[in-house]
Amino acid sequence: MTADVTLLGVRHHGPGSARAVAAALEQLAPDVVLIEGPPEADGIVALAGEKSMVPPVALLAHAVDDPARAAFWPFAVFSPEWVAVRYAVERDLPVRFVDLPAAHTLAPDAPAREDDAPTDPLGELARAAGHDDAERWWEDVVEHRSPGADALAPFAAVAEAMTALREQTPVGRRDELREAYMRQQIRAAHRAGHSTIAVVCGAWHVPALAVMPSVTHDRALLATLPKKVRTEITWVPWTHRRLSQHTGYGAGIDSPGWYHHLFTTPDADPLPRWLTRAAELLRGEDHPVSSAHVIEAVRLAGTLAVMRERPLAGLTETLDAVRSVMCDGSDLALALVHDRLVVGDALGEVPESAPTVPLQRDLARLQRSLRLKPEAVDRELDLDLRKELDTARSLLLHRLRLLGLDWGTPTRSATGSTGTFRESWRLHWEPEFAVRVVEAAQWGTTVEDAATAKAVETALTTQELPALTALAERCLLAGLPGALPPVMQVLADRAALDTDVAELAGALPALVRALRYGDVRGTDAGALDGVARGLAERICIGLPPACTGLDAEGAAAMRQHLDAVHSAVALLGDSAGQAGPGSVTGLADRWAATLHSLSRREPTAGPATGVPGLLRGRAVRLLLDDGRLDSAEAGRRMGLVLSVATAPADAAGWVEGFLSGGGALLLHDPRLLGLLDEWLSGVPGEVFTDVLPLLRRTFSALESGVRRTVGERVAAGPLGAPPVPAAEATELDEGRADAVLPVLALLLGLPTPCHTPGLARIPRQPDRRSAK
């Protein structure tokens, strides 16, 4: 018996191709359907018929021993392959995937995608037809046309065009292997007794499947395939936004939302419905769009299609009409329409019976119990850690971040709260997270167990102390009591051996933050306290020598550490009541003594012999802000630094460090402003250009109001002289003062006063109501 094989060449993710495939299958009534795709999916293809399977979805295959080696085969409701799958499943017909097995394509030495044809078939056909835009040409000849009386005629025309194109285009090795395997599967379907075989594949492959070489030829090609690797496959949710990826069926489409509308709209003209949705979207964003705008946009899009000799208004004409009529020419409003409707953020769903790893099942259980539904759009989530539900949500999101699943990203609180009991997150689910869940499954079968094991392993392989302290903080945030002891042990060992003061200073803030979070979450963070205090003590001892002789770049980096440690010491005192009486005060005093030591280490024989002015000035400002230095002493030190004995560059650095805490101090203490003005005026011209960039950076960091007021005071006159009392500034002109009295009397409803000289000096009644 000779089998009747019909090749249906399609463009992946094309609504016109999908409608054509549906019509062709109805006309053919095949007894088996072969589809381009991984054969490993044959065992789970029946799930496509369940009601809980909602496209867009994707087949995910990954190597068991290396889950990072994975591939997706996406399906949208308008994908021809999905239409073929649904046709076969709904009629209980055999359906087989006939592309190269994922066991071969995921092997380390598998042929790369770059080995495929280097040309764009659609682009070549469009150019041959005299069109410079392949997308517009394909829309006109396929996507905007409905199947005719002979549903197979379009596929014959596409096959003829592809045959001519392949005669002039070299075929890559990967395509040759894929097509040899497809031919073998067609032969297998024939041997199984099927008489009417429908093959749905990319149009590029049709000529290679239409002419069958010998079985020996194909076997020889397939013998060169790399050795198989163990793989697993499942269904996962997908999004319209990800349909543009070049993986599996990814054909690089730019308008999945538009294509979905074309395929699912039953009307002959889908344009009015789409423009109505665009108007609704724009109105929701406070754009004044009415039904009249929709009517006019439909007319304009149709007119543009006629002028451009197109059978129907395409996406280009539609967006031109939206920009002109609904957006008033604004590209910003049009970008909103493009993002929400042309692309879209639809997220598919898969049945619970789809194969998953235990970690994925535990994650799905937690998502349901915590009412955290994965969504493909950004969602803001504010959590109050005093509530049990919000605390559990926070723990889940932090644990997933430890596993490399950044479903949630911490953000600033939308309510403006800075309390440690509140967290704000931005949630956005990506389809690729399915691969990361599989990768993370090696660490455990539940989210908590996997995060614990991953944290311990990360600690053992981390050498940098700041990274270890950040990891300890994340373990506390994630509520992992099983991970904290080994992480803290590694941290203590590293800290005992680390002599780099910069690393110690970078590690301390994270430890102190962890102590505060331990309080609000009820976590025992006592082990952190001893390590944090030990780090603080060592920083106090080693900081002055470590700051000596630093260049400008090193001084700028150390200033960041100086500020961070200063804040950490203050927080450590606030959160360490259990450390023993007097310990907080002792640590604060030792830190103040360290700052005093820094502020006095001036260069004596060149910059390498002292602490840079940036750090000395910052130390003085921190002491002043903490009340450990009065303004008179700060002024004295500024006067010494700004004297002629100090190099201008060092003095400018000192000023930058001193003012980095805010410039309002200059307004409250005119003496400091006067010293700064006097020094700046005396800088020699040949040196001024060298210190100018530093000074500009210093003053540009001040608040705009402070800069303006400082400028006004400098322009007003000498800053060092005491202010002149207003009464002594000028003599009162009695004639001019008396001249205003009649007007004032009229405004106040009083009798007009006599023009007696000197009347302005007569005291008036303080209570205007009694005067009336």
Side-chain angles (χ1 to χ4, degrees):
M1 178 179 64
T2 303
D4 182 11
V5 179
T6 302
L7 303 175
L8 305 178
V10 300
R11 183 194 187 189
H12 306 301
H13 313 311
S17 294
R19 285 191 295 265
V21 165
L25 292 176
E26 290 290 346
Q27 179 175 323
L28 281 173
D31 55 5
V32 65
V33 179
L34 307 183
I35 302 174
E36 180 184 333
E40 290 90 344
D42 290 349
I44 59 174
V45 70
L47 293 175
E50 297 193 11
K51 292 183 179 180
S52 54
M53 180 75 86
V54 181
V57 294
L59 288 168
L60 164 62
H62 65 89
V64 174
D65 298 331
D66 185 9
R69 297 189 64 84
F72 295 96
W73 287 262
F75 298 84
V77 69
F78 52 84
S79 299
E81 296 84 359
W82 180 255
V83 170
V85 167
R86 293 282 298 181
Y87 174 88
V89 170
E90 290 173 356
R91 293 163 177 76
D92 291 327
L93 295 176
V95 56
R96 303 283 184 269
F97 289 100
V98 296
D99 205 346
L100 273 180
H104 288 303
T105 58
L106 296 178
D109 53 347
R113 183 178 295 273
E114 288 74 15
D115 293 338
D116 290 346
T119 58
D120 172 22
L122 293 186
E124 294 293 334
L125 292 177
R127 281 188 287 273
H131 293 261
D132 58 356
D133 190 328
E135 290 293 329
R136 291 182 57 185
W137 173 79
W138 183 260
E139 283 187 355
D140 289 348
V141 300
V142 176
E143 306 302 347
H144 290 169
R145 298 184 182 275
S146 300
D150 183 6
L152 300 180
F155 295 102
V158 170
E160 182 180 357
M162 286 298 169
T163 300
L165 183 60
R166 284 184 63 125
E167 289 176 354
Q168 304 176 6
T169 306
V171 180
R173 177 172 176 267
R174 186 172 179 272
D175 275 343
E176 289 181 343
L177 293 171
R178 295 174 63 197
E179 291 160 357
Y181 192 87
M182 292 181 195
R183 290 192 292 263
Q184 289 288 69
Q185 298 309 302
I186 295 174
R187 295 184 182 107
H190 185 198
R191 290 195 300 270
H194 298 292
S195 58
T196 306
I197 303 173
V199 181
V200 180
C201 63
W204 173 256
H205 304 297
V206 168
L209 304 183
V211 179
M212 289 279 190
S214 65
V215 175
T216 303
H217 173 272
D218 288 343
R219 286 178 177 173
L221 272 177
L222 296 176
T224 64
L225 283 172
K227 184 180 178 180
K228 287 186 176 182
V229 297
R230 287 195 307 131
T231 59
E232 293 179 350
I233 195 166
T234 188
W235 290 100
V236 296
W238 204 248
T239 66
H240 277 169
R241 195 171 298 278
R242 292 296 180 182
L243 283 172
S244 61
Q245 288 188 338
H246 290 267
T247 175
Y249 289 139
I253 62 173
D254 298 323
S255 51
W258 168 257
Y259 277 1
H260 181 273
H261 178 78
L262 293 181
F263 185 75
T264 56
T265 302
D267 303 341
D269 185 5
L271 190 57
R273 285 180 181 267
W274 194 88
L275 288 172
T276 301
R277 292 175 58 201
E280 181 181 4
L281 171 64
L282 291 171
R283 280 197 297 268
E285 298 294 331
D286 296 329
H287 291 274
V289 180
S290 66
S291 56
H293 288 84
V294 177
I295 296 172
E296 184 58 31
V298 171
R299 291 175 178 172
L300 178 57
T303 302
L304 290 174
V306 173
M307 294 176 60
R308 296 169 182 175
E309 299 181 351
R310 304 193 67 180
L312 288 174
L315 181 59
T316 303
E317 289 72 28
T318 303
L319 291 181
D320 286 345
V322 170
R323 178 192 286 110
S324 299
V325 178
M326 296 184 180
C327 301
D328 295 327
S330 169
D331 287 334
L332 185 62
L334 183 66
L336 175 67
V337 175
H338 187 279
D339 184 70
R340 300 280 185 84
L341 297 182
V342 177
V343 178
D345 286 301
L347 177 65
E349 299 178 10
V350 300
E352 294 183 4
S353 56
T356 58
V357 294
L359 180 61
Q360 176 63 57
R361 289 194 291 271
D362 184 60
L363 175 57
R365 176 187 63 81
L366 291 171
Q367 288 170 334
R368 289 193 300 270
S369 64
L370 299 178
R371 299 194 293 276
L372 284 177
K373 183 180 179 181
E375 296 175 321
V377 295
D378 285 346
R379 172 191 172 191
E380 301 296 331
L381 181 67
D382 283 320
L383 301 179
D384 186 342
L385 300 182
R386 296 169 295 187
K387 300 178 180 179
E388 184 177 353
L389 176 62
D390 284 357
T391 299
R393 288 174 168 177
S394 173
L395 293 178
L396 173 62
L397 295 174
H398 281 294
R399 288 169 181 175
L400 291 177
R401 281 171 60 82
L402 277 170
L403 293 172
L405 277 81
D406 293 328
W407 177 22
T409 303
T411 61
R412 292 182 61 87
S413 173
T415 62
S417 173
T418 58
T420 56
F421 62 85
R422 185 173 294 278
E423 285 184 349
S424 293
W425 296 80
R426 179 176 292 110
L427 304 185
H428 188 100
W429 185 264
E430 299 285 359
E432 288 82 358
F433 289 161
V435 177
R436 299 182 190 176
V437 172
V438 175
E439 290 183 271
Q442 61 179 307
W443 302 109
T445 57
T446 67
V447 174
E448 180 177 359
D449 291 344
T452 298
K454 178 67 179 299
V456 173
E457 177 64 23
T458 302
L460 294 174
T461 57
T462 300
Q463 300 297 325
E464 297 79 12
L465 194 59
L468 278 172
T469 56
L471 179 62
E473 180 185 16
R474 295 176 68 185
C475 288
L476 275 174
L477 296 176
L480 300 177
L484 196 55
V487 171
M488 289 305 305
Q489 183 61 51
V490 175
L491 174 58
D493 294 342
R494 295 280 195 278
L497 299 176
D498 202 327
T499 59
D500 188 336
V501 174
E503 284 207 356
L504 296 176
L508 181 62
L511 282 181
V512 176
R513 288 195 304 268
L515 281 169
R516 290 173 60 83
Y517 271 103
D519 292 339
V520 73
R521 294 170 180 269
T523 308
D524 181 14
L528 292 175
D529 185 73
V531 177
R533 292 182 174 281
L535 286 180
E537 295 283 358
R538 295 174 61 192
I539 292 170
C540 289
I541 296 172
L543 187 61
C547 293
T548 302
L550 292 176
D551 58 10
E553 184 177 352
M558 189 60 76
R559 193 196 75 176
Q560 301 295 329
H561 291 311
L562 193 66
D563 289 342
V565 172
H566 185 76
S567 299
V569 169
L571 291 177
L572 188 60
D574 293 341
S575 60
Q578 76 277 15
S583 60
V584 174
T585 304
L587 179 58
D589 289 341
R590 282 190 290 276
W591 175 244
T594 301
L595 294 178
H596 276 293
S597 177
L598 276 180
S599 66
R600 297 191 192 99
R601 293 199 171 204
E602 300 179 0
T604 57
T609 60
V611 174
L614 177 68
L615 300 179
R616 302 199 319 275
R618 187 64 188 139
V620 171
R621 180 59 183 270
L622 293 176
L623 290 169
L624 179 64
D625 290 344
D626 277 0
R628 294 178 177 271
L629 202 69
D630 57 30
S631 59
E633 176 63 18
R636 187 186 71 83
R637 296 195 182 191
M638 176 183 276
L640 292 175
V641 170
L642 300 184
S643 66
V644 295
T646 304
D650 187 67
W654 196 98
V655 171
E656 180 184 11
F658 185 77
L659 295 182
S660 61
L665 188 65
L666 296 177
L667 305 182
H668 299 305
D669 193 337
R671 179 168 176 267
L672 295 179
L673 183 57
L675 288 171
L676 182 59
D677 179 61
E678 183 180 357
W679 168 78
L680 186 58
S681 301
V683 174
E686 62 274 10
V687 181
F688 182 76
T689 55
D690 295 332
V691 299
L692 180 60
L694 194 152
L695 293 171
R696 291 187 63 182
R697 182 173 71 237
T698 300
F699 282 93
S700 66
L702 301 181
E703 302 87 341
S704 58
V706 172
R707 291 200 306 269
R708 182 176 61 253
T709 306
V710 167
E712 291 172 353
R713 292 193 178 180
V714 170
L719 295 171
V724 179
E728 301 177 6
T730 58
E731 279 294 329
L732 178 64
D733 187 336
E734 297 180 2
R736 296 178 64 188
D738 289 341
V740 77
L741 292 179
V743 178
L744 289 176
L746 179 63
L747 292 174
L748 296 173
L750 300 175
T752 304
C754 298
H755 294 275
T756 304
L759 184 61
R761 294 182 179 273
I762 300 176
R764 296 293 189 263
Q765 291 290 338
D767 190 344
R768 294 295 182 185
R769 291 172 295 181
S770 62
K772 291 182 181 179

